[in-house]
Amino acid sequence: MRVQSLTLVAAGAALLAPTAAATTPPAPQQQPRVQVRAEPMRAGPVRTGPMRAGLDRAQPMRAKPDRVHPSRAHPSRAKPDRAEPDAARGGAVRAAELLDKVRECAPVSRGRYRSDAGTPADIPVCGTRDAVFWKADMDIDCDGRPGPRCNRRTDPSYIAATAYTRSDGRPLDAERLPYVVVPAAGRIWDHRAYGVHGGSVAAVVHGDRVRYAVVGDTGPRDIIGEASYAAAEALGIDPDPRTGGTPSGVTYIVFRGSRVKPIEDRAAATRAGERLARLFARGG
């Protein structure tokens, strides 16, 4: 995992209704079947960086321990995702549709980011009129409100704060809230200039899965590719703060100008994310 982030948000789904025949009474509409799929479960080099800045308040700098990236999600952590069905089901936006929209990159960052400390700086932040995106690894952010999986015992680099806070002023809960981490504003890129703030809505793609999150924390100014424990778990990525994550293959799409209030409303982020992802992928 990398230097802990500091905190940064969102957006509802609509289905197209079939039309009924004019001359015969409408047949009962058959509800689409949503299939529940099990969610399986990384690690990388030490991430270090400058002090994290969230809501204009810096947090102490810290370094994450060395980790060995697993080649794939850990099957022992597979869980059914009842609240968020696979995006490929039920008419939701498919991973392939979103990935098709981000094949080409028009850089909006002045330079490029590293995935971890000591790795090449080869990751640009790209942009369109409606979104910014990047393709990177995923380190696990376990900061914020302590819980049984995210605390000082489970994560030696744990910080009980996030750059953006809940509506009641408390830190976000990395175990329960899927959120992504953006680099702190700096010379390479200032996310704020592109309509990205705490609570902005993000679509995160890994394999054939799409999950929705909010911008919830900020990280080092030169490193990118991090998300909360809950975000990793929802994508079937090992969420362990010491050894979890994945070394590559994650696409982060943040919708410009979007925001979820309150930031901790996971269901609202999913609804807004589905709607914005549909507009982004299919137009309209």
Side-chain angles (χ1 to χ4, degrees), residues 177-254:
L177 180 66
Y179 66 74
V180 301
V181 179
V182 297
R187 178 187 59 81
I188 300 177
W189 181 54
D190 184 347
H191 56 274
R192 300 167 300 184
Y194 290 85
V196 175
H197 305 277
S200 291
V201 183
V204 189
V205 183
H206 178 64
D208 62 353
R209 292 182 177 179
V210 180
R211 295 294 182 263
Y212 299 101
V214 294
V215 171
D217 211 350
T218 57
R221 289 181 171 85
D222 62 341
I223 292 175
I224 203 167
E226 187 172 5
S228 69
Y229 183 106
E233 188 174 48
L235 286 164
I237 295 171
D238 181 359
D240 188 279
R242 289 177 182 266
T243 61
T246 186
S248 62
V250 182
T251 299
Y252 303 79
I253 304 170
V254 182

Side-chain angles (χ1 to χ4, degrees), residues 88-113:
R89 305 290 179 178
V93 177
R94 297 173 182 268
E97 293 179 87
L98 289 174
L99 294 177
D100 186 61
K101 290 293 183 178
V102 296
R103 289 186 185 279
E104 297 183 4
C105 174
V108 296
S109 57
R110 295 182 179 179
R112 300 192 173 202
Y113 288 95

Side-chain angles (χ1 to χ4, degrees), residues 11-16 90-93 212 267-278:
L15 295 175
L16 297 175
V93 177
Y212 299 101
T270 297
R271 292 192 300 267
E274 288 175 343
R275 178 177 61 84
L276 292 169
R278 183 175 298 108

Side-chain angles (χ1 to χ4, degrees), residues 158-184:
Y158 172 80
I159 294 176
T162 48
Y164 303 102
T165 61
R166 292 166 46 101
S167 54
D168 60 8
R170 293 185 296 174
L172 300 180
D173 187 341
E175 290 184 18
R176 296 179 178 273
L177 180 66
Y179 66 74
V180 301
V181 179
V182 297

